[in-house]
Amino acid sequence: MPPRKVLFLRAVRRHCPRCGGGPLFRHWINMVDRCPVCALDFTRGESGYQLGAMWFNLLLAEAVSVGVFLITVALTWPNPPWDRLQIMGPLEAIISPLFFYPFSKTLFLAFDLAMRPAGSLIETEAH
């Protein structure tokens, strides 16, 4: 198993965290079921596995949205552009999860592989 840093760097590139193989996506949203190089099952043999990726997506999207809001207010204080923030905030809240979706899937897979390596006893018992 590669070092954790390598797992996450591969995931950010939207490649298989375990072997670095790709491409993993047919389109921006449609991910293949297995790695085309090492055949790693991207659901890790569990139903509901995608909930972790959804959590990562929510975390990334909300962190960026809140960060942009706070930085904008801080940089423009005492006269923040409230009208622009009221328009851009909801737009950003809709667009950022769509942008982060494929990254959240590969990043969660990397996180899971770092905590529970492929072929581990826990994964073997799940099958």
Side-chain angles (χ1 to χ4, degrees):
M1 183 62 59
R4 290 182 177 165
K5 179 180 178 182
V6 173
L7 288 173
F8 287 102
L9 288 174
R10 289 174 176 170
V12 168
R13 292 179 37 225
R14 297 184 319 133
H15 285 233
C16 176
R18 181 167 78 174
C19 72
L24 302 185
F25 292 86
R26 293 182 195 102
H27 303 287
W28 188 253
I29 292 179
N30 296 334
M31 188 174 185
V32 297
D33 296 330
R34 294 183 170 275
C35 175
V37 177
C38 70
L40 175 67
D41 180 7
F42 293 139
T43 63
R44 306 287 311 267
E46 297 178 15
S47 62
Y49 184 78
Q50 297 306 319
L51 289 175
M54 290 170 59
W55 181 82
F56 264 53
N57 191 8
L58 180 64
L59 178 72
L60 289 168
E62 292 301 318
V64 167
S65 294
V66 169
V68 168
F69 175 81
L70 292 175
I71 289 170
T72 302
V73 170
L75 292 176
T76 59
W77 194 260
N79 297 315
W82 295 116
D83 292 342
R84 283 190 206 154
L85 288 171
Q86 287 177 338
I87 294 168
M88 296 307 292
L91 286 175
E92 187 177 1
I94 292 169
I95 293 170
S96 58
L98 295 173
F99 174 77
F100 287 120
Y101 182 76
F103 299 101
S104 66
K105 291 183 93 168
T106 55
L107 283 169
F108 179 69
L109 182 60
F111 175 78
D112 190 40
L113 284 169
M115 297 298 132
R116 186 177 56 128
S120 67
L121 180 62
I122 297 169
E123 184 176 273
T124 308
E125 290 175 355
H127 290 291

